[in-house]
Amino acid sequence: MQQSLKPTSDRAFDILQAEKLNPLDAIFAPKTVAVIGASETPGSVGRTLLWNLITNPFGGTVFPVNPKRHSVLGIKAYPKIADIPETVDLAVIATPAPTVPGIIAECVDAGVKSAIVISAGFKEAGAAGIALEQQILAQARRGNIRIIGPNCLGVMSPLSGLNATFASAMARPGNVGFISQSGALCTAILDWSFQENVGFSAFVSIGSMLDVGWGDLIYYLGDDPRTKSIVIYMESIGDARSFISAAREVALTKPIIVIKAGRTEAAAKAAASHTGALAGSDAVLDAAFRRCGVLRVNSISDLFDVAEVLAKQPRPKGPRLTILTNAGGPGVLATDALIEAGGELATISPDAIAAFDQILPTHWSHNNPIDILGDADPQRYTQALEIAATDPNSDGLLVILTPQAMTDPTQTAEQLKPYAQIPGKPILASWMGGAEVTAGETILNRQSIPTYRYPDTATRIFSYMWQSSYNLRGIYETPVLPAVDPQSGIPDRNLVAKIIASARQDGRTILTEFESKQILAAYGIPVVETCVATSEDEAVKCAESIGYPVVVKLYSHIITHKTDVGGVQLNLRDAEAVRQAYRTIKSSVEEKIAKDLHYSKFATQNSALFLGVTVQPMVKTDGYELIIGSSLDPQFGPVLLFGAGGQLVEVFQDRAIALPPLNTTLARRMMEHTKIYKALKGVRGRQSVDMAALEQLMVAFSQLVVEQPWIKEIDINPLLAIPPTAVNSGGLIALDGRVLLQPPDITEEQLPKLAICPYPTQYIDNWTTKNGMSVTIRPIRPEDEPLLVQFHQTLSEESVYFRYFHLIKLSQRITHERLTRICFIDYDREMALVVEHQDSETGMRQILAVGRLSKLHGTDAAEFAMIVSDRYQCQGLGTELVRRLLQVGRQEHIGRITANILSDNYGMQRVCEKLGFHLQPTSDTTVMQAEIAL
């Protein structure tokens, strides 16, 4: 009872591809194009658009639309789109902004499939422009028209010849898909590309992204076999969730390189005024790029250099570069640039040093950079490179040549040709000089060895390559399943809901420290014992119950930063000290009310400002003070922060930012981006803190943030991380907590959305098989990879054949690279359900079946696939899985679900018919297609 679909069956994929089209095909490969606003006025946009379309044959027909002319540039013109005798695939609109909503309405009525709106004067012009955009969008939705723009240069498809832009030239054909938010930058890059001989598979000016956004285009170019890399100039991200979802899927097979304007505050304001879009934090954007495998660069030249090198050379497995040079100075410059960019010099292995001693002159550098001296001939270069390439301590190679009297740049390049593809290691070259080295550069480039005139450029590009590898590895490393006892009652969501509801009912947006710690503890985060006291006597009673020494802190509904108002008293060793601390805090708050305008407005709420104190044990801070927090970004919603904490947190600024949800791998990656991470791992004789426990704590904190959208801000500062010693086992404990809730006027519909779809707990359910076995049906998760290895070991050849349409060896089915694609899914674009059984005696878990539902990009359709372990077939699992996938499809607003099934897979066909699918033959007589409308 198995069947297949696109991700794992070439035959099924070919059939599906033949039977479906992407809506964006009408933009990139139209058969009929209408130019609305076509003109003969010299220098006008309408004339340039029409001229570019008719002088660059793309295999289609062009129809000018102009109500005032019978012909334009000698071609018959039509008064309006409805008068064109053929169905129009693409309408290119270059008329004043106020006319565009009406034109789009006419396009819908005429059955036009897509449009490019060149016109400006929309949201970048203010409220009136925003209103026009909403009118356009309403009309487009009425007819399912996809729109690029407005305020854009247009679209080129150089491989087919389509030039639907008002640029002055046509881009060269190539394999780079380029998307830009700036039309003016498009023209500059187009001009630059001719000099640099850069070719494009697509050249897109995306404009204001009213409809088609980054996600749509990344998916489209990701599916295009002629596009090898995607490069982007970005000013604003738009739909963050769509971008991340698309980029995460595509980046694994095609590099996505972005240059994002607006790193500085001034540039961000300029970008916002240019696009009319909201600008989020640049640090958050960096975190988003890392999360989805996108590489960010800082210059236009790097944008295309990195695209080229990733297309020609393998990504490095680590940051260690070996530099081979015939001159010391360039090697030193290259080293500086490498270290500054985050790379490392490879340490030459003893075996490699011994080998170099055999072939190099006595005075070679005996270190990295490997200076093979100025008299190096082609043979010395070749021998040295052979040794360096096989050194296990190296992750990549840079060969530098300076033209000296004894140097032969051309012949040396010829000798290096056999090393153009070293398995798992990139090789770069810097042939320094002018005309003398040009022939050698040409030889290397033709052999797919990228060359750079300056070695510091080469090392910077290598560091970008390593950063790309690091980002992708972080996405697809198998995390550890959080160790939560199902009987522990953690997380205690009911308690958290009661605390938040009580505060909201009181009109409060600030939780007390005691309430904040209750919420943290409800998610399994260890907190310091805390006792609330509303009088001096109660404070003393709390202190004596806890044991001296103690800490006394302000207890308030209003004030969160207690140290700012003298609200923390430390190391109190007796009852009198506790009483004095109580009085001191109370008087300090009253003094602040009198002097500070910020607090004086709360003077009528004295009871809210000072409710009493909390008493806590004085914990020895013989550890590291950390901060873990979350706040809202205007574009990405909740974001997480980790770093060095304590009172000087804002001074040191040692922090890392990430997007929730986290798993243990992502939590560790987040920590690796801080300086304090090195100390946490052990420094100066200290042992490491419990890093696994810290990872689990961060995962729990992330879960809290994901599940509690009414929390606007939350932080633990400090979280004390104590390394073990001879007398102390160490541990983690939250000494303070702060929670701010959403404003009272926020409705549930207005709550911020996560940029990354969290684990869909709503699809977890228990079920019983025909033979009475209790199982859990739930969405797949990254931690399932080991269980899937065991699952594949239970499959027969027939099950494998029915599922994948051909036999695949077990060793191929259980590779990490393949299983990561199956387990690490984006729940926005697909859903995989597993049937899990846990043995009541041993506690061992196993997966019995897997079903998958994958959305088809740009449509309301999806495909499903399923496979059941042989020993558990005929127990109703297949039927139940498909039924659950249909429920998921309905809840995710999918309109149609299909599947390809082998003609002799009668069991799967019966399941589909039972659940309402319609079966029909395909162009391949051995394959049936099942389809159901939801």
Side-chain angles (χ1 to χ4, degrees):
M1 192 184 295
Q2 336 296 336
Q3 78 26 270
S4 182
L5 56 76
K6 167 184 168 182
T8 44
S9 168
D10 294 337
R11 280 181 59 201
F13 180 49
D14 291 341
I15 294 164
L16 284 165
Q17 288 298 94
E19 295 176 356
K20 72 185 182 190
L21 292 174
N22 189 303
L24 297 191
D25 287 338
I27 295 174
F28 288 94
K31 298 301 180 187
T32 49
V33 180
V35 180
I36 302 175
S39 167
E40 288 197 354
T41 304
S44 67
V45 172
R47 186 188 192 282
T48 307
L49 279 168
L50 182 60
W51 181 255
N52 283 344
L53 282 163
I54 63 177
T55 56
N56 294 279
F58 62 94
T61 308
V62 182
F63 300 97
V65 176
N66 187 323
K68 298 179 180 179
R69 300 186 65 89
H70 295 293
S71 67
V72 180
L73 298 181
I75 305 171
K76 181 179 179 181
Y78 297 85
K80 52 188 178 180
I81 193 81
D83 297 326
I84 295 174
E86 297 182 37
T87 301
V88 173
D89 290 333
L90 173 64
V92 185
I93 302 170
T95 62
T99 67
V100 176
I103 290 171
I104 293 294
E106 292 177 10
C107 288
V108 170
D109 295 338
V112 176
K113 298 174 184 175
S114 64
I116 299 172
V117 179
I118 305 292
S119 319
F122 292 93
K123 67 181 175 184
E124 73 277 6
I130 292 173
L132 288 175
E133 285 192 353
Q134 294 309 307
Q135 295 172 35
I136 292 171
L137 203 53
Q139 293 297 333
R141 294 286 181 265
R142 181 170 66 89
N144 293 322
I145 287 182
R146 300 309 309 269
I147 296 175
I148 283 184
N151 189 16
C152 69
L153 180 74
V155 171
M156 293 184 196
S157 184
L159 295 171
S160 68
L162 177 74
N163 185 358
T165 75
F166 60 94
S168 59
M170 176 67 169
R172 295 179 188 274
N175 56 24
V176 175
F178 177 64
I179 315 169
S180 172
Q181 217 164 352
S182 165
L185 191 75
C186 278
T187 59
I189 285 179
L190 184 62
D191 189 50
W192 169 87
S193 70
F194 297 132
Q195 282 185 324
E196 299 296 322
N197 200 29
V198 174
F200 300 92
S201 58
F203 195 88
V204 184
S205 168
I206 200 170
S208 298
M209 300 190 296
L210 175 61
D211 175 37
V212 173
W214 301 116
D216 298 297
L217 291 170
I218 289 170
Y219 273 135
Y220 187 83
L221 296 176
D223 285 340
D224 177 17
R226 301 170 302 178
T227 298
K228 303 304 180 187
S229 58
I230 300 169
V231 299
I232 292 173
Y233 168 78
M234 178 185 288
E235 292 181 356
S236 63
I237 199 164
D239 186 342
R241 197 158 177 170
S242 173
F243 173 86
I244 291 173
S245 180
R248 188 178 179 278
E249 178 177 346
V250 173
L252 192 63
T253 54
K254 295 182 182 180
I256 301 174
I257 306 108
V258 173
I259 182 169
K260 165 66 171 66
R263 276 192 181 274
T264 63
E265 184 178 350
K269 289 180 179 178
S273 63
H274 182 201
T275 62
L278 190 64
S281 160
D282 195 67
V284 176
L285 191 66
D286 273 341
F289 288 157
R290 286 195 302 271
R291 183 65 179 265
C292 59
V294 167
L295 180 64
R296 183 177 187 176
V297 299
N298 297 322
S299 70
I300 293 172
S301 60
D302 285 349
L303 194 67
F304 291 96
D305 282 345
V306 173
E308 177 194 23
V309 74
L310 290 176
K312 290 180 175 180
Q313 290 289 323
R315 288 184 176 92
K317 295 178 180 178
R320 303 168 302 176
L321 180 67
T322 299
I323 301 172
L324 194 68
T325 178
N326 68 341
V332 174
L333 290 173
T335 300
D336 282 343
L338 176 69
I339 303 305
E340 287 176 6
E344 299 175 12
L345 271 182
T347 301
I348 307 174
S349 67
D351 289 345
I353 287 179
F356 284 128
D357 282 338
Q358 295 295 316
I359 61 119
L360 295 179
T362 305
H363 300 294
W364 76 279
S365 60
H366 290 83
N367 210 335
N368 187 13
I370 301 167
D371 186 350
I372 61 175
L373 305 182
D375 61 347
D377 59 13
Q379 183 180 7
R380 190 186 297 173
Y381 262 103
T382 304
Q383 291 175 325
L385 182 58
E386 174 73 35
I387 296 168
T390 56
D391 188 343
N393 287 359
S394 174
D395 300 309
L397 301 162
L398 168 61
V399 183
I400 301 173
L401 181 144
T402 61
Q404 301 184 39
M406 295 72 70
T407 309
D408 188 338
T410 305
Q411 190 57 37
T412 302
E414 283 285 352
Q415 294 282 348
L416 298 190
K417 285 165 61 174
Y419 301 95
Q421 295 297 323
I422 303 170
K425 291 184 183 181
I427 178 170
L428 312 179
S430 178
W431 257 224
M432 300 179 68
E436 191 176 348
V437 301
T438 302
E441 284 183 317
T442 302
I443 292 168
L444 293 171
N445 284 320
R446 285 177 179 168
Q447 212 56 33
S448 292
I449 299 177
T451 64
Y452 306 91
R453 283 293 167 98
Y454 305 108
D456 52 339
T457 303
T459 54
R460 186 174 69 251
I461 297 301
F462 171 81
S463 295
Y464 277 134
M465 295 177 76
W466 159 238
Q467 186 180 330
S468 176
S469 298
Y470 179 85
N471 290 352
L472 290 174
R473 189 186 298 174
I475 297 173
Y476 293 107
E477 280 185 9
T478 306
V480 178
L481 189 65
V484 177
D485 181 358
Q487 306 302 319
S488 66
I490 294 175
D492 189 345
R493 299 180 179 90
N494 291 333
L495 173 62
V496 176
K498 287 178 183 176
I499 293 171
I500 292 175
S502 175
R504 286 177 53 80
Q505 190 172 3
D506 294 344
R508 291 190 288 128
T509 58
I510 300 174
L511 299 189
T512 65
E513 179 188 352
F514 184 73
E515 291 170 324
S516 300
K517 287 179 178 175
Q518 281 184 297
I519 288 178
L520 295 173
Y523 276 82
I525 296 170
V527 298
V528 68
E529 181 184 355
T530 302
C531 179
V532 176
T534 57
S535 68
E536 290 182 26
D537 290 340
E538 286 184 10
V540 170
K541 187 175 180 180
C542 285
E544 292 177 345
S545 173
I546 291 171
Y548 294 104
V550 296
V551 177
V552 173
K553 298 182 182 179
L554 170 66
Y555 183 55
S556 171
H557 280 170
I558 304 295
I559 301 169
T560 60
H561 296 291
K562 295 177 281 292
T563 54
D564 292 350
V565 296
V568 179
Q569 299 290 311
L570 302 173
N571 205 26
L572 308 175
R573 296 186 173 275
D574 54 41
E576 182 54 35
V578 170
R579 292 181 185 279
Q580 182 60 44
Y582 189 98
R583 292 191 292 268
T584 298
I585 292 172
K586 184 177 182 181
S587 62
S588 177
V589 171
E590 291 171 349
E591 188 177 329
K592 278 287 181 182
I593 293 170
K595 292 183 178 180
D596 194 319
L597 291 175
H598 174 72
Y599 293 111
S600 63
K601 63 184 178 183
F602 298 110
T604 58
Q605 306 176 40
N606 253 346
S607 60
L609 282 164
F610 182 82
L611 297 171
V613 298
T614 62
V615 183
Q616 305 165 21
M618 181 70 195
V619 179
K620 290 183 179 179
T621 56
D622 188 20
Y624 304 101
E625 290 189 331
L626 306 175
I627 181 171
I628 300 177
S630 174
S631 60
L632 293 180
D633 180 84
Q635 289 184 310
F636 290 93
V639 297
L640 303 173
L641 177 142
F642 170 87
Q647 293 185 12
L648 299 179
V649 60
E650 294 177 4
V651 176
F652 291 127
Q653 295 280 306
D654 177 27
R655 64 187 184 187
I657 290 174
L659 301 180
L662 295 181
N663 56 36
T664 54
T665 295
L666 294 170
R668 187 181 71 255
R669 287 299 180 98
M670 188 178 179
M671 290 188 277
E672 288 173 357
H673 282 88
T674 62
K675 294 176 182 177
I676 199 163
Y677 175 71
K678 291 182 180 179
L680 294 174
K681 291 198 301 178
V683 65
R684 293 189 175 180
R686 279 191 169 193
Q687 292 191 47
S688 168
V689 303
D690 189 340
M691 298 302 290
L694 184 53
E695 290 171 10
Q696 298 279 9
L697 186 148
M698 291 176 65
V699 171
F701 185 84
S702 164
Q703 184 182 5
L704 190 167
V705 170
V706 166
E707 293 183 354
Q708 304 299 333
W710 288 108
I711 293 179
K712 182 180 180 182
E713 293 181 20
I714 177 171
D715 64 53
I716 306 171
N717 184 25
L719 172 74
L720 190 61
I722 307 170
T725 65
V727 295
N728 189 333
S729 61
L732 303 167
I733 189 163
L735 300 185
D736 204 349
R738 185 179 71 98
V739 175
L740 272 64
L741 302 181
Q742 297 285 353
D745 56 346
I746 291 287
T747 65
E748 192 166 350
E749 292 73 25
Q750 295 172 313
L751 289 173
K753 300 295 187 291
L754 293 161
I756 298 172
C757 184
Y759 186 75
T761 55
Q762 68 269 28
Y763 296 129
I764 302 175
D765 197 11
N766 296 321
W767 188 71
T768 304
T769 65
K770 288 180 180 179
N771 66 357
M773 179 188 293
S774 295
V775 298
T776 299
I777 300 178
R778 59 167 177 81
I780 203 167
R781 55 192 174 212
E783 296 87 349
D784 286 329
E785 184 180 341
L787 293 181
L788 273 186
V789 171
Q790 299 171 16
F791 170 72
H792 275 275
Q793 292 169 345
T794 70
L795 300 177
S796 67
E797 286 189 354
E798 181 182 59
S799 292
V800 172
Y801 177 72
F802 278 161
R803 170 61 178 86
Y804 302 111
F805 286 31
H806 60 279
L807 291 179
I808 306 176
K809 292 179 180 179
L810 175 63
S811 59
Q812 295 174 319
R813 299 201 310 271
I814 62 174
T815 62
H816 173 68
E817 291 74 16
R818 182 178 181 277
L819 291 182
T820 53
R821 291 170 177 262
I822 293 172
C823 298
F824 291 70
I825 68 171
D826 184 327
Y827 302 109
D828 265 335
R829 68 172 184 264
E830 61 182 325
M831 181 63 62
L833 299 179
V834 298
V835 180
E836 180 186 74
H837 172 67
Q838 184 169 16
D839 190 285
S840 58
E841 295 182 1
T842 65
M844 296 293 290
R845 298 181 300 119
Q846 61 176 325
I847 288 176
L848 314 182
V850 183
R852 185 173 300 264
L853 187 68
S854 301
K855 295 178 182 177
L856 301 178
H857 304 153
T859 73
D860 68 345
E863 306 161 340
F864 88 85
M866 186 191 68
I867 188 165
V868 180
S869 174
D870 285 67
R871 70 182 70 166
Y872 297 105
Q873 292 177 11
C874 304
Q875 295 298 318
L877 286 177
T879 301
E880 185 62 19
L881 260 184
V882 177
R883 188 180 68 79
R884 301 277 179 126
L885 290 175
L886 292 177
Q887 288 179 349
V888 171
R890 293 186 181 97
Q891 292 191 40
E892 299 296 325
H893 308 294
I894 291 171
R896 179 173 58 92
I897 294 178
T898 64
N900 277 13
I901 308 171
L902 286 172
S903 299
D904 53 353
N905 190 352
Y906 303 114
M908 192 66 238
Q909 293 175 36
R910 283 194 297 272
V911 167
C912 288
E913 287 179 325
K914 182 168 37 174
L915 293 172
F917 281 83
H918 173 67
L919 294 178
Q920 58 188 8
T922 68
S923 55
D924 185 336
T925 57
T926 66
V927 178
M928 302 287 290
Q929 186 178 68
E931 181 173 332
I932 188 171
L934 300 182

